[in-house]
Amino acid sequence: MEKSYKELLNNITTFIFDVDGVLTDSSVHITSTGEMLRIMNIRDGYAMKAALESGYNICIISGGNNEGIRIRLKNLGLNDIHLASPDKVATFKEYIQLYNINADQVLYMGDDIPDYHVMQLVGLPVCPQDASPEIKAISKYISHKKGGKGAVREIIEQVMKVQGKWHLYYNGKHD
């Protein structure tokens, strides 16, 4: 019998997120100089910082490349930021090998076709509410939140609560 996604939350040690459509709402604001601006959710950032401080691994794998995104993620404490990744599966395999992570302990949140193949390799593939139908079809959990609108916070909080770490973090006992 296949485990429910709630049962799989207990095994998660590592979060991997796509950027566009997951950490952002997929919108790109283009300035008159051609610069592409994205909007990220502050609560998603808070949850990623909480997860890092609680000992979870967080990795970003994105096909897009935006220096503003890299700066924002670095400021949250993330070190494993793979932007302009031409092959997400290869990047994923290198990452888990480097840190000796079991793929069954990985939660990957993606939203569109470039995430499809890597999501098939992880223990818990999840997606935002507004993901493509193909991604929804292979996800073991579909967030009630849209990409860039708190989906990352929602899934991190669920994992940390199931593992008894959100309450500890919330009460300031995360030293």
Side-chain angles (χ1 to χ4, degrees), residues 17 23 40-53 58 60 68-81 152 156 169:
F17 299 108
L23 287 168
M40 298 179 81
N41 187 294
I42 291 294
R43 291 186 184 113
D44 287 346
Y46 175 82
M48 287 190 291
K49 190 172 176 70
L52 283 171
E53 291 178 2
I58 298 183
I60 304 299
I69 297 288
R70 183 183 309 280
I71 291 167
R72 166 73 177 142
L73 297 170
K74 282 276 188 198
N75 287 341
L76 292 172
L78 277 77
N79 292 315
D80 295 298
I81 304 166
V152 168
I156 289 174
Y169 190 84

Side-chain angles (χ1 to χ4, degrees), residues 99-119:
Y99 292 103
N100 196 28
I101 297 168
N102 183 326
D104 289 341
Q105 298 173 315
V106 176
L107 179 152
Y108 186 104
M109 181 176 274
D111 73 304
D112 211 347
I113 303 304
D115 302 305
Y116 187 89
H117 294 294
V118 71
M119 288 177 72

